[in-house]
Amino acid sequence: MPFAPNFPVMLRTEDGVRIDASHTPTISADLGIVVAHGFTGSWRERSARRIVHVLSGYGGVVAFDFRGHGRSGGETTVGDLEVLDVEAAVRHARVIGYSKIAVVGFSMGAAVAVRHAGLRGGVDAVAAVSGPARWYYRGTKPMRQVHWAIEQPVGRLAARVAKRTRIMRGRWDPIPMPPYEAAALISPTPLLVVHGDADTFFPLEHAHQLYAGAREPKELWIEPGYGHAESAATPDLIRRIGKWISSNFL
């Protein structure tokens, strides 16, 4: 099945970073859905395009590459300044006519979506899929590999060559507010936390910490057998997320 047609867009953040994005229109002119990918991901990857295709059945979709990823400019700050990237995508969705905006984030994108909604606001629903609740987690082998890529020069080189991901050097200063604290600031915007019990990056404690940190309205879906982020997300799960978003605007 071919993917829904999309149109390339170049956005610019408040701090001047070029963001490579796409817009997949919808028949409905009301609901816009911003999709935020995970670390080393891209809206151009097949798994992300499949998600956009499914969500386009519920609203127009603006997907983008975070700074330092793919064809976007700058370097990734792995969840800090990426809030400005989401803001640029949300702003574009408003400008092209969507009156209601939902943000769906995966893994790092989930952390950024939660932080954006809590710190910047201006959205009408947030779905955080496979997201971390806190920073510096190293309790699983995949996350130890992620930290190697972020912290070691050879790791940053490997990420640049293999994944087209440019990672900033040095440490955060100051350390950004963690997602579980930002979740408390989202209400009254509805928050959906989705996590798989087979996630090899972040165990279920992260989903429970995010959910516990948030205020109503909020929902927690623990998905049996679901792994991590975009690559493991089935069309059925994405359709359910699309229906959840739609139900908040009835």
Side-chain angles (χ1 to χ4, degrees):
M1 178 182 297
F3 294 126
N6 61 68
F7 300 92
V9 180
M10 187 60 71
L11 309 177
R12 191 169 293 276
T13 65
E14 294 172 9
D15 61 343
V17 178
R18 290 182 302 102
I19 298 296
D20 180 52
S22 72
H23 174 221
T24 302
T26 181
I27 296 174
S28 168
D30 295 328
L31 173 59
I33 303 172
V34 171
V35 176
H37 63 74
F39 181 60
T40 74
S42 169
W43 73 261
R44 297 176 182 273
E45 291 183 349
R46 185 170 182 83
S47 58
R49 290 169 59 213
R50 173 171 46 82
I51 289 167
V52 168
H53 176 75
V54 174
L55 288 177
S56 68
Y58 301 89
V61 182
V62 176
F64 67 94
D65 281 359
F66 280 116
R67 63 184 59 207
H69 289 74
R71 300 183 186 182
S72 289
E75 295 180 332
T76 177
T77 64
V78 200
D80 182 11
L81 295 180
E82 282 74 13
V83 166
L84 302 180
D85 306 347
V86 171
E87 178 66 18
V90 168
R91 183 172 64 246
H92 179 72
R94 296 277 188 204
V95 166
I96 59 179
Y98 296 113
S99 59
K100 298 290 185 180
I101 307 294
V103 180
V104 181
F106 295 84
S107 193
M108 182 189 80
V112 177
V114 168
R115 296 187 67 246
H116 173 268
L119 299 175
R120 301 297 294 258
V123 298
D124 303 286
V126 182
V129 185
S130 305
R134 58 192 184 275
W135 309 128
Y136 301 115
Y137 178 74
R138 302 171 187 261
T140 59
K141 182 178 179 180
M143 283 308 300
R144 289 191 288 275
Q145 293 171 333
V146 167
H147 280 89
W148 173 80
I150 294 170
E151 296 168 357
Q152 300 299 320
V154 67
R156 291 192 293 271
L157 176 61
R160 178 186 289 267
V161 172
K163 290 291 189 176
R164 297 189 65 189
T165 302
R166 287 92 55 206
I167 305 169
M168 70 167 188
R169 287 170 289 180
R171 296 181 176 272
W172 283 325
D173 185 18
I175 296 174
M177 177 183 289
Y180 79 92
E181 290 185 10
L185 307 176
I186 293 177
S187 178
T189 298
L191 171 66
L192 172 63
V193 178
V194 182
H195 214 95
D197 65 3
D199 193 314
T200 57
F201 285 77
F202 301 112
L204 288 177
E205 65 182 82
H206 284 265
H208 290 296
Q209 187 175 16
L210 268 179
Y211 182 74
R215 300 185 176 98
E216 296 289 350
K218 60 181 180 178
E219 289 189 37
L220 172 63
W221 298 356
I222 302 300
E223 298 296 310
Y226 175 42
H228 185 69
E230 299 102 314
S231 61
T234 63
D236 177 65
L237 174 61
I238 301 305
R239 279 191 291 268
R240 287 169 52 210
I241 292 172
K243 291 176 181 176
W244 177 84
I245 292 171
S246 298
S247 71
N248 282 285
F249 302 131
L250 295 176

